[in-house]
Amino acid sequence: MLPRQTRIMTKLRELALRNSSTNSIVGNQLKHRYGFHTIRQTCTEFPRKLKKTERKPWVTNINELKRIGRAERKERQIVRERILQPPQNGLLVNELIPVAHQVNADRIQLFTCVSKVAQSIAIYSCSVCGEVHIGHRPHKIRTCNVMGSAASKEHCWRRGAVEHVLPPVESFHLYDRLGRAVSHNERLQVDRIPAILELCVQAGIDLPEYPTRRRVFPAYSISGRVIDFEKRFPKEDAPGEDIYACGFWQKRNNISDDNKSVDMQPCDLQATAVRGMEAWERMRSGASRLMETYAAQTCGYCSEIQVGPKGHRVRNCQAYKHQMRDGQHAWQEATIDDVVPPVYVWHVRDTQSEKPLVNELKKYYGMLPAVVEMFAQAGASVPNDYVVMMREDVAVPEWDEEKLVV
């Protein structure tokens, strides 16, 4: 009985393979005969907005994280000394110190260029959903789909600022990168600075207003615990000498002063946009290189971020199922888009046209980060990584021709 069923299954499999090969040959002949051909997908998908109940995609597979956790638990059971490599042992990576200085310089230059270009190019922001539009005429695309929006889903536009193009993403400043995490009771005592600046500080930048501990001797790991043989406060590190005790309720203007300290020479708008585009590319590439060595954590449901090997313990998460976590964040590995979030806006091809973008033709429009769109309208060339998202090769029909498009 069994061999007969096996023979029948074998014959059916051979018949199916023969039919599939025949159909593929005939299909290819028909395609070439009638001019049909397969087109390789060259258009990347637009970034999809996550729902409130969705978690950010994992950088590392969850199964791989479980395997690493099991290996670390097994390693902690063995009492032995494990030598750590920089920066896990508290020392700096010498090769990345120039990169950190370059990223900080590009950050200041980018802020200056955006501030200058924003004086000539209008920035609009929706007062309901926060969507951003770059250009004189705000678009008429009905994508305002949040609580409190109108039934027509049209945006309520108002004039925006630089903060809408470069949204501030802050992180707690850590004096000791290997120290304990910031607790909930210390949330008002620890300064919060831009995450990109905190990444540069941990990578080797020394700022007097934000002191950090620089170790001379490396730390070791014994049974999973980091043992520091260096003195808590060395003589050359006088505690409290340069520390200004203030919380976020007494924010200082050091960061804005640094941004305004770079006074560029008076020049045309296009040259400023070109320098800003180059600074944007260098800053993101340099920050990505730093994040390969210096870890950063982000919440899987909200925009909170903490630069360092672990997240803080402040219970201020108000995202999905925060009651089950007692307000704590669901920490996971961060990406460059978490540290420097690109605000995607609709791309305007003809900046001289008085017609705004309409909702009926939105499938023909492209999207770009707000910084890239602003510099592109000012005359800078768009990098190759964003050319596909612009959809310049797609012909936009007229309003009355859209129904004739196949």
Side-chain angles (χ1 to χ4, degrees), residues 26-39 406:
V26 175
N28 292 334
Q29 292 176 356
L30 291 175
K31 288 179 182 179
H32 290 290
R33 180 178 178 181
Y34 292 97
F36 297 140
H37 60 279
T38 59
I39 301 176
V406 180

Side-chain angles (χ1 to χ4, degrees), residues 102-363:
Q102 182 63 37
V103 170
N104 186 40
D106 294 334
R107 178 188 68 88
I108 299 174
Q109 185 178 10
L110 175 64
F111 187 89
T112 306
C113 293
V114 171
S115 301
K116 288 183 176 297
V117 176
Q119 298 175 2
S120 303
I121 297 180
I123 302 175
Y124 292 93
S125 174
C126 180
S127 60
V128 181
C129 66
E131 184 170 338
V132 181
H133 178 77
I134 305 298
H136 178 60
R137 283 295 187 93
H139 64 74
K140 301 296 182 180
I141 302 176
R142 297 189 292 267
T143 55
C144 188
N145 190 15
V146 296
M147 184 179 299
S149 60
S152 60
K153 297 183 181 180
E154 293 184 356
H155 296 279
C156 298
W157 296 109
R158 63 180 181 181
R159 293 303 295 263
V162 180
E163 290 76 15
H164 297 95
V165 178
L166 296 175
V169 179
E170 294 184 342
S171 171
F172 284 107
H173 171 60
L174 302 180
Y175 171 76
D176 189 1
R177 188 174 183 272
L178 300 183
R180 59 181 179 85
V182 179
S183 63
H184 184 73
N185 297 329
E186 297 174 344
R187 66 188 185 279
L188 304 179
Q189 303 174 4
V190 182
D191 289 330
R192 291 179 65 87
I193 63 176
I196 186 69
L197 179 61
E198 175 64 17
L199 180 65
C200 296
V201 169
Q202 294 187 13
I205 289 183
D206 295 325
L207 298 178
E209 58 271 17
Y210 298 110
T212 183
R213 185 179 180 185
R214 303 299 185 190
R215 284 180 171 82
V216 181
F217 302 99
Y220 297 88
S221 175
I222 299 178
S223 299
R225 298 183 59 183
V226 177
I227 306 299
D228 190 2
F229 296 99
E230 196 176 73
K231 290 183 180 181
R232 194 64 178 176
F233 294 102
K235 294 182 179 180
E236 61 272 9
D237 184 12
E241 181 179 353
D242 296 328
I243 300 177
Y244 182 76
C246 71
F248 68 88
W249 64 90
Q250 295 178 351
K251 282 190 176 181
R252 291 164 289 174
N253 298 325
N254 292 325
I255 304 301
S256 60
D257 293 343
D258 291 342
N259 295 332
K260 297 178 182 179
S261 61
V262 179
D263 190 10
M264 301 178 61
Q265 297 295 330
C267 58
D268 58 339
L269 187 64
Q270 183 177 2
T272 305
V274 170
R275 282 195 293 267
M277 188 77 76
E278 295 175 354
W280 166 262
E281 288 295 309
R282 290 196 305 266
M283 186 187 69
R284 284 184 61 91
S285 61
S288 301
R289 184 179 175 186
L290 292 178
M291 292 180 66
E292 294 177 358
T293 305
Y294 294 90
Q297 312 299 323
T298 183
C299 181
Y301 296 100
C302 69
S303 60
E304 184 70 16
I305 189 171
Q306 178 59 53
V307 179
K310 52 189 175 182
H312 59 73
R313 297 195 298 268
V314 179
R315 300 187 299 270
N316 58 355
C317 183
Q318 300 179 2
Y320 179 66
K321 288 187 177 181
H322 66 91
Q323 300 89 348
M324 301 180 60
R325 304 188 301 270
D326 193 18
Q328 295 187 3
H329 297 277
W331 296 111
Q332 65 183 47
E333 185 180 356
T335 61
I336 182 60
D337 290 340
D338 298 320
V339 178
V340 187
V343 181
Y344 287 95
V345 298
W346 294 101
H347 172 55
V348 180
R349 297 188 182 182
D350 188 6
T351 57
Q352 304 298 330
S353 177
E354 295 294 334
K355 298 181 180 179
L357 305 181
V358 295
N359 184 72
E360 290 75 9
L361 303 177
K362 65 179 180 180
K363 61 182 178 181

